[in-house]
PDB file of all heavy atoms in Angstrom:
ATOM      1  N   LEU Q  39     -18.546 149.633 165.498  1.00  0.00           N
ATOM      2  CA  LEU Q  39     -18.419 149.387 166.923  1.00  0.00           C
ATOM      3  C   LEU Q  39     -18.231 147.887 167.139  1.00  0.00           C
ATOM      4  O   LEU Q  39     -18.984 147.074 166.570  1.00  0.00           O
ATOM      5  CB  LEU Q  39     -19.688 149.877 167.636  1.00  0.00           C
ATOM      6  CG  LEU Q  39     -19.682 149.850 169.149  1.00  0.00           C
ATOM      7  CD1 LEU Q  39     -18.647 150.848 169.701  1.00  0.00           C
ATOM      8  CD2 LEU Q  39     -21.062 150.167 169.670  1.00  0.00           C
ATOM      9  N   PRO Q  40     -17.244 147.469 167.943  1.00  0.00           N
ATOM     10  CA  PRO Q  40     -17.030 146.042 168.173  1.00  0.00           C
ATOM     11  C   PRO Q  40     -18.294 145.326 168.661  1.00  0.00           C
ATOM     12  O   PRO Q  40     -19.084 145.884 169.419  1.00  0.00           O
ATOM     13  CB  PRO Q  40     -15.933 146.016 169.236  1.00  0.00           C
ATOM     14  CG  PRO Q  40     -15.196 147.298 169.033  1.00  0.00           C
ATOM     15  CD  PRO Q  40     -16.248 148.288 168.631  1.00  0.00           C
ATOM     16  N   GLU Q  41     -18.466 144.100 168.231  1.00  0.00           N
ATOM     17  CA  GLU Q  41     -19.658 143.307 168.521  1.00  0.00           C
ATOM     18  C   GLU Q  41     -19.907 143.156 170.030  1.00  0.00           C
ATOM     19  O   GLU Q  41     -21.061 143.134 170.466  1.00  0.00           O
ATOM     20  CB  GLU Q  41     -19.555 141.938 167.854  1.00  0.00           C
ATOM     21  CG  GLU Q  41     -20.798 141.088 167.951  1.00  0.00           C
ATOM     22  CD  GLU Q  41     -22.017 141.714 167.268  1.00  0.00           C
ATOM     23  OE1 GLU Q  41     -21.853 142.415 166.266  1.00  0.00           O
ATOM     24  OE2 GLU Q  41     -23.146 141.490 167.756  1.00  0.00           O
ATOM     25  N   LEU Q  42     -18.854 143.053 170.809  1.00  0.00           N
ATOM     26  CA  LEU Q  42     -18.977 142.960 172.265  1.00  0.00           C
ATOM     27  C   LEU Q  42     -19.856 144.087 172.795  1.00  0.00           C
ATOM     28  O   LEU Q  42     -20.778 143.873 173.586  1.00  0.00           O
ATOM     29  CB  LEU Q  42     -17.595 143.035 172.930  1.00  0.00           C
ATOM     30  CG  LEU Q  42     -17.544 143.403 174.413  1.00  0.00           C
ATOM     31  CD1 LEU Q  42     -17.939 142.201 175.261  1.00  0.00           C
ATOM     32  CD2 LEU Q  42     -16.167 143.906 174.803  1.00  0.00           C
ATOM     33  N   TYR Q  43     -19.600 145.294 172.342  1.00  0.00           N
ATOM     34  CA  TYR Q  43     -20.351 146.453 172.800  1.00  0.00           C
ATOM     35  C   TYR Q  43     -21.745 146.509 172.180  1.00  0.00           C
ATOM     36  O   TYR Q  43     -22.711 146.873 172.837  1.00  0.00           O
ATOM     37  CB  TYR Q  43     -19.593 147.743 172.493  1.00  0.00           C
ATOM     38  CG  TYR Q  43     -18.251 147.782 173.179  1.00  0.00           C
ATOM     39  CD1 TYR Q  43     -17.085 147.638 172.449  1.00  0.00           C
ATOM     40  CD2 TYR Q  43     -18.151 147.902 174.563  1.00  0.00           C
ATOM     41  CE1 TYR Q  43     -15.850 147.648 173.075  1.00  0.00           C
ATOM     42  CE2 TYR Q  43     -16.933 147.913 175.195  1.00  0.00           C
ATOM     43  CZ  TYR Q  43     -15.773 147.783 174.445  1.00  0.00           C
ATOM     44  OH  TYR Q  43     -14.564 147.785 175.080  1.00  0.00           O
ATOM     45  N   GLN Q  44     -21.863 146.148 170.914  1.00  0.00           N
ATOM     46  CA  GLN Q  44     -23.178 146.158 170.268  1.00  0.00           C
ATOM     47  C   GLN Q  44     -24.144 145.235 170.992  1.00  0.00           C
ATOM     48  O   GLN Q  44     -25.274 145.626 171.300  1.00  0.00           O
ATOM     49  CB  GLN Q  44     -23.049 145.743 168.801  1.00  0.00           C
ATOM     50  CG  GLN Q  44     -22.396 146.776 167.931  1.00  0.00           C
ATOM     51  CD  GLN Q  44     -22.438 146.391 166.469  1.00  0.00           C
ATOM     52  OE1 GLN Q  44     -23.398 145.760 166.001  1.00  0.00           O
ATOM     53  NE2 GLN Q  44     -21.408 146.760 165.736  1.00  0.00           N
ATOM     54  N   ARG Q  45     -23.715 144.013 171.289  1.00  0.00           N
ATOM     55  CA  ARG Q  45     -24.582 143.057 171.993  1.00  0.00           C
ATOM     56  C   ARG Q  45     -24.974 143.580 173.371  1.00  0.00           C
ATOM     57  O   ARG Q  45     -26.147 143.528 173.766  1.00  0.00           O
ATOM     58  CB  ARG Q  45     -23.877 141.706 172.140  1.00  0.00           C
ATOM     59  CG  ARG Q  45     -23.964 140.816 170.953  1.00  0.00           C
ATOM     60  CD  ARG Q  45     -23.526 139.395 171.268  1.00  0.00           C
ATOM     61  NE  ARG Q  45     -22.274 139.328 172.012  1.00  0.00           N
ATOM     62  CZ  ARG Q  45     -21.064 139.194 171.465  1.00  0.00           C
ATOM     63  NH1 ARG Q  45     -20.939 139.112 170.161  1.00  0.00           N
ATOM     64  NH2 ARG Q  45     -19.992 139.138 172.215  1.00  0.00           N
ATOM     65  N   GLY Q  46     -23.998 144.069 174.129  1.00  0.00           N
ATOM     66  CA  GLY Q  46     -24.262 144.548 175.475  1.00  0.00           C
ATOM     67  C   GLY Q  46     -25.202 145.738 175.497  1.00  0.00           C
ATOM     68  O   GLY Q  46     -26.104 145.827 176.323  1.00  0.00           O
ATOM     69  N   ILE Q  47     -25.002 146.667 174.572  1.00  0.00           N
ATOM     70  CA  ILE Q  47     -25.840 147.872 174.533  1.00  0.00           C
ATOM     71  C   ILE Q  47     -27.241 147.544 174.066  1.00  0.00           C
ATOM     72  O   ILE Q  47     -28.222 148.084 174.579  1.00  0.00           O
ATOM     73  CB  ILE Q  47     -25.160 148.960 173.691  1.00  0.00           C
ATOM     74  CG1 ILE Q  47     -23.901 149.436 174.409  1.00  0.00           C
ATOM     75  CG2 ILE Q  47     -26.114 150.130 173.424  1.00  0.00           C
ATOM     76  CD1 ILE Q  47     -22.973 150.262 173.584  1.00  0.00           C
ATOM     77  N   ARG Q  48     -27.365 146.629 173.119  1.00  0.00           N
ATOM     78  CA  ARG Q  48     -28.724 146.194 172.708  1.00  0.00           C
ATOM     79  C   ARG Q  48     -29.465 145.561 173.876  1.00  0.00           C
ATOM     80  O   ARG Q  48     -30.646 145.826 174.098  1.00  0.00           O
ATOM     81  CB  ARG Q  48     -28.623 145.207 171.542  1.00  0.00           C
ATOM     82  CG  ARG Q  48     -28.348 145.845 170.222  1.00  0.00           C
ATOM     83  CD  ARG Q  48     -28.414 144.814 169.101  1.00  0.00           C
ATOM     84  NE  ARG Q  48     -28.012 145.401 167.867  1.00  0.00           N
ATOM     85  CZ  ARG Q  48     -26.873 145.109 167.215  1.00  0.00           C
ATOM     86  NH1 ARG Q  48     -26.066 144.184 167.672  1.00  0.00           N
ATOM     87  NH2 ARG Q  48     -26.584 145.720 166.083  1.00  0.00           N
ATOM     88  N   ALA Q  49     -28.771 144.700 174.615  1.00  0.00           N
ATOM     89  CA  ALA Q  49     -29.398 144.060 175.772  1.00  0.00           C
ATOM     90  C   ALA Q  49     -29.793 145.102 176.822  1.00  0.00           C
ATOM     91  O   ALA Q  49     -30.899 145.035 177.390  1.00  0.00           O
ATOM     92  CB  ALA Q  49     -28.448 143.021 176.370  1.00  0.00           C
ATOM     93  N   LEU Q  50     -28.916 146.060 177.077  1.00  0.00           N
ATOM     94  CA  LEU Q  50     -29.211 147.149 178.012  1.00  0.00           C
ATOM     95  C   LEU Q  50     -30.456 147.920 177.573  1.00  0.00           C
ATOM     96  O   LEU Q  50     -31.345 148.189 178.382  1.00  0.00           O
ATOM     97  CB  LEU Q  50     -28.042 148.136 178.035  1.00  0.00           C
ATOM     98  CG  LEU Q  50     -27.034 148.064 179.154  1.00  0.00           C
ATOM     99  CD1 LEU Q  50     -25.905 149.030 178.884  1.00  0.00           C
ATOM    100  CD2 LEU Q  50     -27.665 148.344 180.463  1.00  0.00           C
ATOM    101  N   TYR Q  51     -30.487 148.285 176.302  1.00  0.00           N
ATOM    102  CA  TYR Q  51     -31.612 149.069 175.785  1.00  0.00           C
ATOM    103  C   TYR Q  51     -32.920 148.277 175.936  1.00  0.00           C
ATOM    104  O   TYR Q  51     -33.924 148.832 176.396  1.00  0.00           O
ATOM    105  CB  TYR Q  51     -31.386 149.423 174.319  1.00  0.00           C
ATOM    106  CG  TYR Q  51     -32.499 150.256 173.739  1.00  0.00           C
ATOM    107  CD1 TYR Q  51     -32.509 151.629 173.892  1.00  0.00           C
ATOM    108  CD2 TYR Q  51     -33.560 149.670 173.048  1.00  0.00           C
ATOM    109  CE1 TYR Q  51     -33.539 152.409 173.383  1.00  0.00           C
ATOM    110  CE2 TYR Q  51     -34.586 150.417 172.532  1.00  0.00           C
ATOM    111  CZ  TYR Q  51     -34.572 151.791 172.699  1.00  0.00           C
ATOM    112  OH  TYR Q  51     -35.596 152.556 172.195  1.00  0.00           O
ATOM    113  N   ASN Q  52     -32.899 147.008 175.569  1.00  0.00           N
ATOM    114  CA  ASN Q  52     -34.120 146.192 175.662  1.00  0.00           C
ATOM    115  C   ASN Q  52     -34.608 146.069 177.108  1.00  0.00           C
ATOM    116  O   ASN Q  52     -35.797 146.169 177.387  1.00  0.00           O
ATOM    117  CB  ASN Q  52     -33.893 144.822 175.053  1.00  0.00           C
ATOM    118  CG  ASN Q  52     -33.749 144.877 173.551  1.00  0.00           C
ATOM    119  OD1 ASN Q  52     -34.256 145.784 172.903  1.00  0.00           O
ATOM    120  ND2 ASN Q  52     -33.027 143.923 172.987  1.00  0.00           N
ATOM    121  N   LEU Q  53     -33.681 145.892 178.032  1.00  0.00           N
ATOM    122  CA  LEU Q  53     -34.045 145.801 179.441  1.00  0.00           C
ATOM    123  C   LEU Q  53     -34.625 147.130 179.928  1.00  0.00           C
ATOM    124  O   LEU Q  53     -35.694 147.159 180.559  1.00  0.00           O
ATOM    125  CB  LEU Q  53     -32.813 145.429 180.281  1.00  0.00           C
ATOM    126  CG  LEU Q  53     -33.023 145.436 181.792  1.00  0.00           C
ATOM    127  CD1 LEU Q  53     -34.016 144.344 182.193  1.00  0.00           C
ATOM    128  CD2 LEU Q  53     -31.697 145.240 182.494  1.00  0.00           C
ATOM    129  N   LEU Q  54     -33.945 148.220 179.630  1.00  0.00           N
ATOM    130  CA  LEU Q  54     -34.425 149.534 180.077  1.00  0.00           C
ATOM    131  C   LEU Q  54     -35.737 149.923 179.415  1.00  0.00           C
ATOM    132  O   LEU Q  54     -36.602 150.528 180.054  1.00  0.00           O
ATOM    133  CB  LEU Q  54     -33.347 150.596 179.821  1.00  0.00           C
ATOM    134  CG  LEU Q  54     -32.093 150.447 180.687  1.00  0.00           C
ATOM    135  CD1 LEU Q  54     -30.987 151.358 180.191  1.00  0.00           C
ATOM    136  CD2 LEU Q  54     -32.411 150.700 182.155  1.00  0.00           C
ATOM    137  N   GLU Q  55     -35.898 149.563 178.140  1.00  0.00           N
ATOM    138  CA  GLU Q  55     -37.148 149.876 177.441  1.00  0.00           C
ATOM    139  C   GLU Q  55     -38.319 149.113 178.057  1.00  0.00           C
ATOM    140  O   GLU Q  55     -39.432 149.630 178.124  1.00  0.00           O
ATOM    141  CB  GLU Q  55     -37.017 149.554 175.965  1.00  0.00           C
ATOM    142  CG  GLU Q  55     -38.230 149.976 175.152  1.00  0.00           C
ATOM    143  CD  GLU Q  55     -38.107 149.598 173.688  1.00  0.00           C
ATOM    144  OE1 GLU Q  55     -37.615 148.500 173.391  1.00  0.00           O
ATOM    145  OE2 GLU Q  55     -38.512 150.423 172.869  1.00  0.00           O
ATOM    146  N   SER Q  56     -38.065 147.908 178.547  1.00  0.00           N
ATOM    147  CA  SER Q  56     -39.152 147.146 179.195  1.00  0.00           C
ATOM    148  C   SER Q  56     -39.541 147.761 180.531  1.00  0.00           C
ATOM    149  O   SER Q  56     -40.676 147.658 180.964  1.00  0.00           O
ATOM    150  CB  SER Q  56     -38.753 145.685 179.379  1.00  0.00           C
ATOM    151  OG  SER Q  56     -37.761 145.562 180.375  1.00  0.00           O
ATOM    152  N   MET Q  57     -38.583 148.449 181.176  1.00  0.00           N
ATOM    153  CA  MET Q  57     -38.851 149.092 182.463  1.00  0.00           C
ATOM    154  C   MET Q  57     -39.380 150.517 182.307  1.00  0.00           C
ATOM    155  O   MET Q  57     -40.169 150.986 183.129  1.00  0.00           O
ATOM    156  CB  MET Q  57     -37.580 149.106 183.304  1.00  0.00           C
ATOM    157  CG  MET Q  57     -37.097 147.714 183.664  1.00  0.00           C
ATOM    158  SD  MET Q  57     -35.392 147.642 184.278  1.00  0.00           S
ATOM    159  CE  MET Q  57     -35.401 148.778 185.609  1.00  0.00           C
TER     160      MET Q  57
END
Side-chain angles (χ1 to χ4, degrees):
L39 187 66
E41 187 62 32
L42 161 77
Y43 300 108
Q44 289 187 33
R45 278 193 313 267
I47 292 167
R48 283 186 186 111
L50 260 174
Y51 181 85
N52 290 334
L53 175 65
L54 292 169
E55 186 182 40
S56 71
M57 296 165 55

